[in-house]
Amino acid sequence: SPFAIGNTNNNGNPNNTTGKISSSDLKTLTQITKAGCGMSMFFLGVALFMHFLIRKNKASQAVKILMNLFIALFVLNFCFLINESIADLKVMAACVAIAAVLHYSMLATFTWFFMQALHLYFNLYKIPTDMKHYMWKICITGWVIPSVVVVGLLASNKYDYIKVSDDNGTSVAMCWIPDPIIHTGVNIGYYSIVFIFTLTIFIVTAVQITHFASKQTKTQENSSTKKRVFSLLGLFCLLGITWGFAFFSHGPLLLPSYYIFTILNSFQGKHKTGS
């Protein structure tokens, strides 16, 4: 993901090269990413098709918010998969366009993680969500805020080529944000706010579930423990907390964090539709 890779950028020129990893690791990570993104797109596409074909008018607010997240994730996976091919064309306008759309879909994904957590918070504390134009307000926030950031970067000409190199000197071109300061300030900063909020809601929810489980009889508890564990794991992915592993993509933790991040997030769409 450009979110994780961007953490290793060490200069701001258009031919920027990230921290080098072995050619075998780069190849493995690329294969995992392509397989994961492809599978995620398939499951996300099926979920979106079923939603719009069958139950669009009957969907709850939670499902509608989830479908918006699915759209953002689908576009993110698609743009990431074709990014290298667009970069290889060496057409600056095309590179800037795909970088901007990729960046927008990533920020939109983060924003919809936040919206998922916010809606969950409202439900946990019985805050009414039947207010006028509730979903319109949620949707406008979810899609407009990322666009403001991307338009600002487009106006400042901040999108360009970057290169991911292995230890053999072989490099892979991508269209992204070559300036590490911009990447850190915008992407890491943006997600950090989302991460703090979503992690807090996750912990509060886990405490609520544990508290509820303590009131059950021993028989009921034994039968529902596995269900609670899977529910919490699903919520962990649903709120995008797995993206937090990108914070560890430095020094000796660089390679392990890449693998953990790639495996968890490349298959994210599959995890969400299956949970």
Side-chain angles (χ1 to χ4, degrees):
S1 166
F3 181 69
I5 291 173
N7 288 347
T8 60
N9 286 357
N10 48 34
N11 59 65
N13 62 66
N15 295 316
N16 184 38
T17 303
T18 67
K20 293 181 180 179
I21 59 177
S22 70
S23 57
S24 60
D25 285 323
L26 181 60
K27 184 178 180 180
T28 302
L29 287 168
T30 301
Q31 291 174 341
I32 293 172
T33 301
K34 288 181 177 179
C37 288
M39 289 182 65
S40 290
M41 286 181 63
F42 173 77
F43 286 103
L44 289 168
V46 170
L48 288 168
F49 176 78
M50 292 178 63
H51 170 72
F52 287 109
L53 183 68
I54 302 173
R55 59 185 184 185
K56 180 180 178 181
N57 296 326
K58 300 178 181 179
S60 65
Q61 291 174 336
V63 171
K64 290 178 181 177
I65 293 172
L66 183 62
M67 290 303 112
N68 278 278
L69 173 60
F70 281 6
I71 293 171
L73 274 170
F74 186 91
V75 176
L76 175 62
N77 286 326
F78 177 74
C79 289
F80 188 71
L81 282 176
I82 67 172
N83 191 292
E84 183 183 346
S85 299
I86 298 297
D88 290 340
L89 295 176
K90 303 298 181 183
V91 178
M92 179 56 71
C95 186
V96 170
I98 193 63
V101 176
L102 175 64
H103 192 208
Y104 174 74
S105 59
M106 187 183 77
L107 294 181
T109 298
F110 294 164
T111 310
W112 283 106
F113 287 148
F114 186 94
M115 294 302 157
Q116 286 274 3
L118 182 65
H119 186 73
L120 180 58
Y121 171 81
F122 288 161
N123 287 333
L124 282 174
Y125 290 96
K126 310 298 181 183
I127 299 174
T129 58
D130 56 353
M131 65 185 75
K132 189 175 182 180
H133 304 310
Y134 173 76
M135 280 307 303
W136 276 106
K137 292 173 183 177
I138 290 287
C139 288
I140 289 172
T141 304
W143 294 112
V144 172
I145 289 179
S147 68
V148 173
V149 178
V150 172
V151 169
L153 293 182
L154 276 172
S156 305
N157 297 317
K158 296 301 182 181
Y159 297 112
D160 209 325
Y161 295 96
I162 67 169
K163 290 181 180 179
V164 182
S165 296
D166 59 31
D167 55 356
N168 290 333
T170 305
S171 61
V172 177
M174 281 190 64
C175 298
W176 189 233
I177 305 170
D179 189 333
I181 297 176
I182 298 295
H183 169 76
T184 301
V186 174
N187 299 329
I188 304 299
Y190 194 98
Y191 178 71
S192 295
I193 296 171
V194 172
F195 178 79
I196 292 170
F197 182 69
T198 54
L199 182 61
T200 301
I201 297 302
F202 175 79
I203 293 172
V204 170
T205 305
V207 170
Q208 293 269 24
I209 291 175
T210 304
H211 178 70
F212 175 77
S214 66
K215 296 181 179 180
Q216 294 180 316
T217 64
K218 189 172 182 179
T219 304
Q220 290 174 321
E221 185 177 354
N222 291 336
S223 63
S224 61
T225 298
K226 186 179 292 186
K227 184 178 180 180
R228 291 198 305 273
V229 170
F230 279 108
S231 295
L232 288 173
L233 287 175
L235 185 63
F236 193 80
C237 294
L238 190 68
L239 298 180
I241 300 173
T242 53
W243 284 71
F245 285 101
F247 292 137
F248 301 99
S249 56
H250 300 279
L253 294 176
L254 177 67
L255 196 58
S257 72
Y258 273 2
Y259 273 99
I260 295 171
F261 183 93
T262 301
I263 292 170
L264 289 178
N265 294 311
S266 293
F267 292 88
Q268 195 166 46
K270 181 179 181 295
H271 293 158
K272 291 183 189 304
T273 52
S275 48

